[in-house]
């Protein structure tokens, strides 16, 4: 078996406003600013000057954001994030942390549709839209779901094949149990 990566080192995005991004992730969400790299590199045919900020998460990984000094570079490398909740970043939290985040989001005055909660059954998720238009999900797994992880792995390929063949029957028994 191939050895898997040990953790996410960082995931990177481009922001139009590093200070608004810093205020959101550090002041509202509580992720500490762990590094700010001010850099100039010869990339893709010319010198590019940018600032690269990292916000730490609990496993040692980070969320990173770039902002370019040159407006042309900013436009080239910083396309708008699509306004869809289906392109999002999901971070795992425990119940206490999720409740704290909900309170911080409310205190910051963020209102629906820029924040909402979904009960997936196998997890509960708090969603919030950051200053860049990116949806960030804070998910807390339901304790009942952990016991089925091995089973889900064992049927994952068959379930994908079934769905792609046109059988779109739901297989989320957790959600239906809770809805009943």
């Amino acid at each position: 078996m191939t050895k898997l990566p040990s953790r996410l080192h960082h995931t990177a995005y481009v922001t139009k406003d590093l200070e608004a991004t810093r205020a959101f992730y550090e002041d509202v969400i509580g992720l500490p600013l762990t590094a700010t790299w001010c850099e100039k590199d010869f990339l893709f045919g010319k010198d590019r000057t940018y600032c690269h900020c990292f916000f730490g998460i609990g496993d040692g990984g980070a969320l990173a954001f770039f902002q370019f000094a040159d407006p042309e570079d900013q436009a080239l490398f910083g396309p708008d994030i699509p306004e869809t909740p289906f392109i999002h970043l999901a971070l795992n939290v425990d119940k206490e942390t999720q409740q704290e985040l909900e309170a911080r989001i409310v205190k910051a005055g963020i209102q629906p549709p820029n924040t909402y909660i979904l009960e997936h059954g196998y997890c509960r998720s708090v969603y919030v839209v950051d200053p860049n238009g990116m949806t960030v999900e804070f998910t807390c797994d339901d304790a009942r779901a952990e016991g089925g992880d091995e089973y889900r792995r064992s049927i994952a390929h068959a379930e994908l094949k079934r769905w792609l063949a046109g059988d779109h029957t739901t297989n989320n028994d957790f959600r239906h149990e809770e809805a009943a």
Side-chain angles (χ1 to χ4, degrees):
M1 179 178 193
T2 303
K3 187 173 181 180
L4 297 174
S6 61
R7 65 176 175 85
L8 179 67
H9 185 277
H10 72 275
T11 183
Y13 307 92
V14 175
T15 180
K16 292 179 177 125
D17 186 338
L18 265 175
E19 177 51 26
T21 297
R22 186 220 51 82
F24 176 81
Y25 283 98
E26 190 168 41
D27 299 343
V28 176
I29 301 303
L31 301 182
L33 178 64
T34 58
T36 299
W37 295 97
C38 304
E39 302 183 74
K40 184 176 186 176
D41 288 309
F42 188 79
L43 296 168
F44 312 108
K46 76 175 217 181
D47 283 330
R48 315 279 182 176
T49 303
Y50 55 90
C51 188
H52 195 193
C53 291
F54 291 77
F55 299 89
I57 58 176
D59 70 352
L63 305 183
F65 292 88
F66 290 95
Q67 185 172 332
F68 292 87
D70 181 342
E72 289 180 17
D73 288 345
Q74 186 71 25
L76 178 64
F77 296 111
D80 290 334
I81 294 173
E83 291 185 27
T84 172
F86 293 98
I87 297 174
H88 65 273
L89 174 68
L91 299 172
N92 185 59
V93 294
D94 61 27
K95 191 173 188 173
E96 181 181 328
T97 302
Q98 191 179 63
Q99 290 171 341
E100 181 183 318
L101 283 162
E102 284 181 75
R104 293 172 76 117
I105 290 165
V106 167
K107 185 177 178 185
I110 301 170
Q111 300 287 320
N114 290 323
T115 186
Y116 54 94
I117 296 168
L118 282 179
E119 299 283 354
H120 296 285
Y122 54 87
C123 69
R124 179 180 187 272
S125 296
V126 174
Y127 296 84
V128 63
V129 179
D130 84 355
N132 307 296
M134 180 170 63
T135 301
V136 183
E137 173 185 3
F138 298 95
T139 186
C140 180
D141 291 334
D142 187 298
R144 298 170 300 163
E146 187 178 317
D149 286 351
E150 188 175 323
Y151 171 70
R152 285 283 165 205
R153 273 192 294 279
S154 75
I155 65 167
H157 286 93
E159 288 296 284
L160 174 60
K161 185 176 181 178
R162 174 186 65 80
W163 195 90
L164 292 172
D167 179 353
H168 298 156
T169 306
T170 185
N171 67 0
N172 184 350
D173 298 332
F174 288 102
R175 180 172 273 167
H176 296 290
E177 284 176 16
E178 292 179 3

